[in-house]
Amino acid sequence: MHKATEFKLDFQRQFDNESDESLSEDIDNPHIKETYHPQDVMVEDQHPTFTWTIENFSNINQKIFSNIFEDFDLKWRLIMFPRGLEEKGSIMSLYLEIVSCNLFKPEWFVNADVVLLVVNQIEQELSQKREAKVSFNSSRRDWGYQKFIHLDNLAAFLHNDSLKINVIVQVLESHVEKIDPSERQKEIIYVGLKNQGATCYLNSLLQALFHLGSLRRLVYMMSTFTDWDQSRNSIAKSLQKIFFQLQFKGKSVSTKKLTESFGWNAQDVITQHDVQELNRLLCDALENQTKGTPVEGEIEKIFRGKQINSINCINIKHESSKTEAYYDLSLNVKGCNDVYDSFNLYTETEVLKGDNQYFAEANGFQDAEKGCAFDSFPPVLVLQLKRFEYDHTRGENLKIHAKYTFPPVLDLGKYLRRSHSIPSIYHIHSVLVHSGTVFQGHYYAYIRPNLSNEWLKYDDEKVTRATTREAIDQNYGGPDSKRFTSAYLLVYIRETERYSILAPVLESEIPSYLKEEIEKEKEKKSKMKEEHALQKLYMSLRITVENDLKEHQQYFDLVDTKKVSEFQVLRKSCLAEFKDIAESAFKIPKHKQRYWLFEKRSNGTIRPWRLLSKTQEDSNLDVIVKQDLGLFLEEVLDENTNSVGDLLLFLKYYDPLDPSIRYVGHIIMNLNLPMDALLTWIRKKMGFNNDVDIDIKEEKRTQLKAIELNKSFYQNGITTGAILIFQTINTHDYSRYPTIKKFFEYITHQTVVDFRTLNEPQKSVVKISLMKSARFETIVDNLGAHLNHDPKKIRLTTHDLQRNLPSPHPLNKPEPQNCVLNPIRRNKSKRKNELQLKEFISKSLTDPKILYYELLDVPLSEASGTSKTFSIIWLNYQAIQTKVVELVTRVDAPLCDLLEILSTKTNCPPDRIRLMGVQDCIITKIFDPRSVVSDLLIGSLKLYAESVSPEESNPKHQCLRVHHLLGGRHVGHPFVFTLIKGEKVVELRQRLQVKLGLSLAETKCLKIRLTSSRAERVLEQTILSDFVTKESRLVLLHPQAPPQKKVLKINQSTA
């Protein structure tokens, strides 16, 4: 049995907007039954028990809710995740929630003893029970267990696939006051921002920035396009719009335009990112917008501070210092009790010695002291609390839940390097809170707009009042409270600039063009809304007439209803009213109009199937026409009288001399008449003599069904909408396809192949109609005739549907495996000219039929046996950068010929190219330029090539093969590196830094090992050349890096 783990999950975002009415949808859930009674199966201390019976448990795949039950004048409900919070989990999660607590005043709380129990309906004493003392409040409105019971163990609790859950709630202490409706209206002083899926972190940051009046004023002053359409992707313009709407709009504001200006897609807005990272990127984007304008540098004045990082050598006189700007500070939470502890740690002096010595240029590695001091703090100080860290021992990210306090007033004067005339006293303005775990969570913000005692809570669209205790004290975190809610980002404002930073922005300060553009957009939206409402009154009605059947280009079926005439008609109008429109459009008098409903049959064909009655013609169109297939408008002829049992039939004529099939008309026949009654109409329609014999077949999609003329339509299974194809019975031996059957076999087995060149794979050269059974020889013969090229000198390549590009290998060998896209399931002894076209192309009707060709100088048989395409990975001077070079050469050619070709593609002299064979990221062979190309085919080696360094020409130097090792396995691209005689490891490390393009810090993290030597572990002062043997290899051990998160990006070009 898995031990249940208490887990707090914040459902605030999901359920804030759910009223009791919306919850009623769950009451009709067929899976659940509830009973509420004072005494039931399990009763503890005689407290009332609520029982939730879930029927058909095995069919439930997503979270479900119980009905709402009342206890102690509070409304409660259970929430069950059958497979836990993970998409394909195996442990059931169970939670208890207080419903409609958004109607309570912010300071509400409920302390209760809660018992959750999954009942064993056979042996009740084996029931699974969890109990705890729980404190519910505005920050914790639900409680439960992420891992309540494993699904493998749940079978013992199911009875007839039903699960019974009991809950007992004993309220110990509570303070709950409901908000008066009039007071509740007063709560909405400001407006919220809409959540696009997982943009709560963005919403919290935007609200904090909006309340900085100086920043908002600066955003309004930024130069932007005056044409709204041109600037729809501008970050500055989108931010202006959001700030304006937050200031003047009476309801929640959308951030969709802003995220579009970031260049984000649908996946980005449902992926939660780091709010501090977003703040930095947003400030950078806005700074770019101000360049070259009167407000350039103004953002820096608000957020930018300076710190001085210095390193002083202990044993020698050497000092290095660097001044760096910052827009926010990341403070350690782990090991610190409060903000002051974090600043002490931030400015603490670190001694660099041993393996961590400082590289003092010409003086080499030295013991040193490294420290940081602040040169200045900005007016608005943003502090990120490092609640998340990567645990190297566990190999995963963790959230630090330790208690960490932050004061309302912060004095940072002692951390300045020199005294300033401006006191560094800061007042807290905003607290951005993260609630949840590393894997999932929710952001919201507490903000003091005027630095008074009045706090506001911004939770996406919802804005409410909050207390100082809720904003500060309840966001310290701490394991004792078993809560996953804690402050993540703090915004402080310097006391001396509080009035200038928070000064309200007057409407007169907002550019007039911005107000005009927003007003225009408002009018545009209003107009679109009206048009949308108007569109709901109309519907599209497709009308098919006889002429559409005649113009149908396909051999099969009757018509493509998407290509016929389409009308916009009122949904509540009737056909009787539409007949005037039809008469004008099709020149068919109203009294000769008759309408049939289309039907999409199970085999995919579309046919008219039911005649509309006079009563139906007077009904509303949206009631009659419920599919987008529309109606067939029949022009009534004298002989086409309608009676009970009549069939609407469509006739096509096959001409073996053409050969072709064409539509000739429709007729209405009684289903009890014999089929030969149709012959009279056909002879008259076609002008045939009475002695002409006629054969009739029914078209069934792409098949033909034989007809017995001496039987009735009913006996032949003919129904309304049937297509009958007829031909004269003569001796058509001179015709290639003398019968309908032969012609159908031809058109169902032919396909049009799109031939393209390998150099221009997106451009069609020629399209040729071929039989699917065509052999390889037939294909190239037809293509050669079109291209006026010898078919024996044509090589074909199949189409890769996944990449929408040519397949990697051409059809240049007899073995069928060369057809990569469509593996040819034939005996391997089959020759290529015995393979059929259908084995080279996709069998799907919707997929493109594409083949690529090459025009060769020699016959394919010779080229296939003597030439091969090689893919070579070229390493430039920095061995971390590569490119793939593909070239073709004869396998019996000397290797120097291949190097000559490679030289033209890399601009490197052939005598300076090293060609290597690599397996599992290890160099196993360096090829001799005097060998032959066929040597490259031995073994399954990857081919690498690099430029030989000038140092290698020195006979005193030795070359070592270098491999990368990460986490116990070889990775990356190996290379050859020159070892200079007498050189120490510390000097070799400097050359490796240049070779690999690494930073100094990254280079220092590399551990260097020498294999197959007398000294596998090397020190910085070791001279490697003293220990190297012929078998030695240099191994670079890279530190295990934490898992990379999705990179957050903002499109700077649209700032």
Side-chain angles (χ1 to χ4, degrees), residues 90-101:
S90 58
I91 303 178
M92 184 189 81
S93 302
L94 187 63
Y95 301 91
L96 174 67
E97 179 195 29
I98 296 183
V99 181
S100 299
C101 47

PDB file of all heavy atoms in Angstrom, residues 90-101:
ATOM      1  N   SER A  90      -1.140   6.706 -11.736  1.00  0.00           N
ATOM      2  CA  SER A  90      -1.633   5.413 -11.273  1.00  0.00           C
ATOM      3  C   SER A  90      -2.095   5.467  -9.825  1.00  0.00           C
ATOM      4  O   SER A  90      -2.321   4.429  -9.215  1.00  0.00           O
ATOM      5  CB  SER A  90      -0.528   4.356 -11.431  1.00  0.00           C
ATOM      6  OG  SER A  90       0.626   4.732 -10.701  1.00  0.00           O
ATOM      7  N   ILE A  91      -2.206   6.691  -9.262  1.00  0.00           N
ATOM      8  CA  ILE A  91      -2.615   6.839  -7.868  1.00  0.00           C
ATOM      9  C   ILE A  91      -3.767   7.839  -7.798  1.00  0.00           C
ATOM     10  O   ILE A  91      -3.667   8.948  -8.318  1.00  0.00           O
ATOM     11  CB  ILE A  91      -1.443   7.310  -6.987  1.00  0.00           C
ATOM     12  CG1 ILE A  91      -0.275   6.330  -7.091  1.00  0.00           C
ATOM     13  CG2 ILE A  91      -1.886   7.433  -5.535  1.00  0.00           C
ATOM     14  CD1 ILE A  91       0.939   6.735  -6.292  1.00  0.00           C
ATOM     15  N   MET A  92      -4.860   7.451  -7.177  1.00  0.00           N
ATOM     16  CA  MET A  92      -6.025   8.317  -7.071  1.00  0.00           C
ATOM     17  C   MET A  92      -5.748   9.463  -6.108  1.00  0.00           C
ATOM     18  O   MET A  92      -5.130   9.276  -5.056  1.00  0.00           O
ATOM     19  CB  MET A  92      -7.222   7.499  -6.569  1.00  0.00           C
ATOM     20  CG  MET A  92      -8.533   8.283  -6.518  1.00  0.00           C
ATOM     21  SD  MET A  92      -9.847   7.374  -5.701  1.00  0.00           S
ATOM     22  CE  MET A  92      -9.443   7.670  -3.983  1.00  0.00           C
ATOM     23  N   SER A  93      -6.207  10.679  -6.480  1.00  0.00           N
ATOM     24  CA  SER A  93      -6.082  11.858  -5.621  1.00  0.00           C
ATOM     25  C   SER A  93      -7.469  12.257  -5.137  1.00  0.00           C
ATOM     26  O   SER A  93      -8.460  12.140  -5.874  1.00  0.00           O
ATOM     27  CB  SER A  93      -5.447  13.015  -6.385  1.00  0.00           C
ATOM     28  OG  SER A  93      -4.181  12.660  -6.883  1.00  0.00           O
ATOM     29  N   LEU A  94      -7.532  12.753  -3.901  1.00  0.00           N
ATOM     30  CA  LEU A  94      -8.822  13.105  -3.308  1.00  0.00           C
ATOM     31  C   LEU A  94      -8.669  14.387  -2.494  1.00  0.00           C
ATOM     32  O   LEU A  94      -7.727  14.525  -1.700  1.00  0.00           O
ATOM     33  CB  LEU A  94      -9.319  11.958  -2.402  1.00  0.00           C
ATOM     34  CG  LEU A  94     -10.725  12.099  -1.832  1.00  0.00           C
ATOM     35  CD1 LEU A  94     -11.772  12.118  -2.950  1.00  0.00           C
ATOM     36  CD2 LEU A  94     -11.019  10.942  -0.871  1.00  0.00           C
ATOM     37  N   TYR A  95      -9.619  15.335  -2.672  1.00  0.00           N
ATOM     38  CA  TYR A  95      -9.548  16.631  -2.005  1.00  0.00           C
ATOM     39  C   TYR A  95     -10.923  17.046  -1.506  1.00  0.00           C
ATOM     40  O   TYR A  95     -11.959  16.645  -2.064  1.00  0.00           O
ATOM     41  CB  TYR A  95      -9.022  17.710  -2.957  1.00  0.00           C
ATOM     42  CG  TYR A  95      -7.654  17.408  -3.503  1.00  0.00           C
ATOM     43  CD1 TYR A  95      -7.501  16.712  -4.705  1.00  0.00           C
ATOM     44  CD2 TYR A  95      -6.522  17.791  -2.814  1.00  0.00           C
ATOM     45  CE1 TYR A  95      -6.251  16.412  -5.193  1.00  0.00           C
ATOM     46  CE2 TYR A  95      -5.264  17.501  -3.299  1.00  0.00           C
ATOM     47  CZ  TYR A  95      -5.131  16.804  -4.491  1.00  0.00           C
ATOM     48  OH  TYR A  95      -3.888  16.512  -4.964  1.00  0.00           O
ATOM     49  N   LEU A  96     -10.911  17.858  -0.457  1.00  0.00           N
ATOM     50  CA  LEU A  96     -12.119  18.470   0.084  1.00  0.00           C
ATOM     51  C   LEU A  96     -12.010  19.977  -0.122  1.00  0.00           C
ATOM     52  O   LEU A  96     -10.973  20.581   0.180  1.00  0.00           O
ATOM     53  CB  LEU A  96     -12.259  18.144   1.575  1.00  0.00           C
ATOM     54  CG  LEU A  96     -13.413  18.839   2.309  1.00  0.00           C
ATOM     55  CD1 LEU A  96     -14.756  18.322   1.795  1.00  0.00           C
ATOM     56  CD2 LEU A  96     -13.297  18.607   3.812  1.00  0.00           C
ATOM     57  N   GLU A  97     -13.096  20.597  -0.608  1.00  0.00           N
ATOM     58  CA  GLU A  97     -13.053  22.018  -0.939  1.00  0.00           C
ATOM     59  C   GLU A  97     -14.242  22.745  -0.321  1.00  0.00           C
ATOM     60  O   GLU A  97     -15.358  22.197  -0.263  1.00  0.00           O
ATOM     61  CB  GLU A  97     -13.091  22.199  -2.457  1.00  0.00           C
ATOM     62  CG  GLU A  97     -13.075  23.658  -2.886  1.00  0.00           C
ATOM     63  CD  GLU A  97     -13.467  23.842  -4.346  1.00  0.00           C
ATOM     64  OE1 GLU A  97     -14.232  23.022  -4.875  1.00  0.00           O
ATOM     65  OE2 GLU A  97     -13.013  24.823  -4.950  1.00  0.00           O
ATOM     66  N   ILE A  98     -14.002  23.963   0.151  1.00  0.00           N
ATOM     67  CA  ILE A  98     -15.082  24.857   0.571  1.00  0.00           C
ATOM     68  C   ILE A  98     -15.551  25.619  -0.666  1.00  0.00           C
ATOM     69  O   ILE A  98     -14.754  26.265  -1.350  1.00  0.00           O
ATOM     70  CB  ILE A  98     -14.622  25.834   1.658  1.00  0.00           C
ATOM     71  CG1 ILE A  98     -14.232  25.076   2.925  1.00  0.00           C
ATOM     72  CG2 ILE A  98     -15.716  26.844   1.970  1.00  0.00           C
ATOM     73  CD1 ILE A  98     -13.827  25.973   4.076  1.00  0.00           C
ATOM     74  N   VAL A  99     -16.834  25.552  -0.938  1.00  0.00           N
ATOM     75  CA  VAL A  99     -17.387  26.133  -2.162  1.00  0.00           C
ATOM     76  C   VAL A  99     -17.856  27.569  -1.887  1.00  0.00           C
ATOM     77  O   VAL A  99     -18.301  27.903  -0.793  1.00  0.00           O
ATOM     78  CB  VAL A  99     -18.557  25.264  -2.682  1.00  0.00           C
ATOM     79  CG1 VAL A  99     -19.123  25.848  -3.982  1.00  0.00           C
ATOM     80  CG2 VAL A  99     -18.088  23.849  -2.898  1.00  0.00           C
ATOM     81  N   SER A 100     -17.743  28.397  -2.915  1.00  0.00           N
ATOM     82  CA  SER A 100     -18.236  29.782  -2.900  1.00  0.00           C
ATOM     83  C   SER A 100     -17.579  30.628  -1.822  1.00  0.00           C
ATOM     84  O   SER A 100     -18.184  31.571  -1.300  1.00  0.00           O
ATOM     85  CB  SER A 100     -19.766  29.814  -2.718  1.00  0.00           C
ATOM     86  OG  SER A 100     -20.396  29.142  -3.778  1.00  0.00           O
ATOM     87  N   CYS A 101     -16.314  30.316  -1.483  1.00  0.00           N
ATOM     88  CA  CYS A 101     -15.641  31.143  -0.481  1.00  0.00           C
ATOM     89  C   CYS A 101     -15.231  32.498  -1.043  1.00  0.00           C
ATOM     90  O   CYS A 101     -14.751  33.358  -0.310  1.00  0.00           O
ATOM     91  CB  CYS A 101     -14.436  30.413   0.097  1.00  0.00           C
ATOM     92  SG  CYS A 101     -13.373  29.668  -1.116  1.00  0.00           S
TER      93      CYS A 101
END
